[in-house]
């Protein structure tokens, strides 16, 4: 490792987390230490350096942005045999308490792990045995489809709100995505969208509704907006925004079907209740802490509740249909293709006002200095809003649009709440503990 690399420790567990693998020499023992990396990168290091066959369960701690920060992964032992390589040994809770020569920092970490004080987020793919079950299912499905695996199953992404496996086959890569805990409808919704919009949705091979698994094929050649939006991206981005609105209009007649699929209610009236719940959770908002809302900001939002409800009621009276809205729609979830742009990641969806539909598109312009950004942003907004003129006049849309923006801010903040709620100790995860507060803070711009 070089001096500039972030060093991670990895807890390799077996027996439902009751045993942990350590390595040592000359009477000194420690957890494996190595350069920080992706799940596949860490699996390779553990295998090559210590002979450990593992899969990543998740990240236990990531405070690397702070002085003396820490990064700890948890991996599950996958080998059939419990026999371990030389220079390594299994330890249980009593061993960790008494073993001579164990690194003091690792002893403290293992005490928290064995006691349950230090725990992974409570999501299915961070539980022992999940990977094996998912691998068995996708292998069986691929066999049914006549697709032969040509390589190992890869852990493409593992986070508290997403898990994706990538599988090489003779017909191209296949992806298994596990729906985030707060969004169990994603798999079945994506499958249904594929029947409505086959040119704009990933090719779905199978779904497992019980587990929220979506198995899809590679989409082939496409392009992306690699970084922030620039003027040259505007034509294709504007075209995709228009297509998104057209798809939404189609769903106006499918609301009953969407409800049957489990797509949640995010109409203005429902958002009023979600806002009340969030402002009543000061710990989740980090009120008074360095990373969260100030006490004054929290007080302003609490005082805004009745006015927000009134504005939501006004928004609900606008003669626009309830439609499917992806509150995470932006170029990061679009693959551009001549035969039809692919829109993916349909987890953070709900039934609501189309005037909520661009909040994440706009967020990019709020967070970045983009050349000619004001014009680009306005052209995207105009292209989207113009699609709703058949329902109401442009003047009505212009007056109501700020109400939609406010409702969308609350919606997006609630989506982040659903993502971080399974995390038992937000202070162990500095990269996203502030997510709900940061998103909800945007609403203060509309508080009188």
């Amino acid at each position: 490792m070089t001096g500039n690399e972030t060093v991670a420790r990895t807890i390799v567990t077996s027996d439902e987390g009751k045993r942990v693998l350590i390595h040592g020499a000359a009477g000194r023992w420690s957890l494996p230490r190595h350069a920080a990396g992706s799940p596949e990168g860490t699996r390779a290091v553990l295998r090559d350096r210590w002979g450990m066959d593992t899969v990543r369960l998740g990240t236990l701690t990531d405070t690397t942005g702070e002085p003396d920060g820490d990064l700890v992964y948890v991996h599950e032992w996958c080998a059939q045999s419990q026999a371990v390589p030389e220079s390594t040994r299994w330890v249980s809770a009593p061993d960790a308490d008494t073993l001579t020569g164990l690194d003091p920092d690792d002893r403290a970490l293992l005490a928290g792990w064995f006691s349950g004080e230090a725990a992974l987020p409570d999501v299915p793919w961070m539980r022992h045995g999940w990977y094996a079950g998912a691998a068995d299912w996708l292998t069986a499905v691929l066999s049914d489809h006549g697709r032969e695996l040509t390589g190992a199953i890869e852990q493409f992404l593992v986070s508290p709100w997403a898990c994706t496996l990538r599988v090489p086959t003779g017909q191209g890569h296949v992806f298994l995505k596990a729906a985030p805990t707060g969004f169990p409808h994603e798999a079945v919704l994506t499958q249904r969208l594929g029947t409505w919009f086959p040119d704009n949705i990933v090719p779905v091979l199978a779904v497992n509704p019980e587990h929220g698994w979506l198995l899809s094929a590679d989409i082939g050649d496409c392009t992306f907006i690699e970084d922030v939006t620039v003027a040259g991206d505007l034509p294709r981005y504007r075209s995709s925004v228009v297509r998104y609105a057209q798809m939404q209009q189609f769903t106006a007649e499918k609301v009953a079907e969407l409800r049957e699929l489990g797509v949640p209610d995010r109409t203005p009236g429902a958002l009023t209740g979600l806002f009340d719940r969030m402002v009543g959770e000061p710990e989740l908002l980090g009120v008074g802490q360095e990373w969260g809302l100030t006490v004054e900001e929290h007080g302003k939002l609490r005082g805004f509740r009745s006015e927000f409800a009134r504005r939501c009621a006004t928004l609900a009276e606008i003669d626009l249909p309830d439609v499917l809205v992806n509150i995470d729609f932006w170029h990061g979830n679009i693959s551009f293709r001549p035969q039809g742009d692919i829109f993916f990641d349909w987890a953070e969806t709900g039934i609501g006002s189309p005037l909520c539909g661009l909040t994440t598109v706009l967020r990019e312009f709020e967070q970045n200095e983009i050349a000619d950004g004001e014009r680009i942003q306005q052209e995207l907004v105009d292209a989207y809003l113009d699609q709703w003129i058949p329902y109401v006049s442009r003047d009505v849309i212009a007056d109501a649009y700020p109400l939609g923006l406010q409702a969308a801010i609350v919606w997006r903040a609630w989506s982040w709440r659903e993502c971080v709620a399974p995390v038992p100790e937000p202070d162990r995860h500095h990269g996203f503990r502030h997510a709900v507060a940061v998103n909800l803070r945007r609403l203060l711009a509309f508080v009188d």
Side-chain angles (χ1 to χ4, degrees), residues 235-255:
R236 58 177 174 169
Y237 202 177
R238 181 171 51 214
S239 177
S240 71
V241 164
V242 170
R243 179 57 181 155
Y244 170 50
Q246 293 169 345
M247 293 165 66
Q248 289 180 297
Q249 290 166 3
F250 178 89
T251 67
E253 303 299 325
K254 303 291 186 179
V255 168

Side-chain angles (χ1 to χ4, degrees), residues 9 13 22 119-120 125 147 172-173 202 209 231 294 297 303 311 316 318 324 327 342 344 375 379 392 416 418 422:
R9 294 181 286 171
T13 75
I22 59 173
L120 288 169
W125 52 87
R147 288 177 177 253
H173 280 99
V202 294
T294 67
E297 288 173 332
R311 295 181 188 182
I318 305 301
L324 180 69
I327 207 66
I342 295 291
F344 53 93
R375 180 186 66 84
E379 288 204 28
V392 293
W416 266 109
E418 294 286 85

Side-chain angles (χ1 to χ4, degrees), residues 34 37 76 90 92 113 127 141 156 164 177 181 312 316 322 332 375 415 447:
H34 50 84
E76 179 182 16
W90 293 109
S92 59
W113 172 258
R127 298 171 190 157
V141 172
F156 188 70
T164 302
K177 181 180 181 182
T181 302
C312 280
D322 292 334
R375 180 186 66 84
S415 286
V447 177

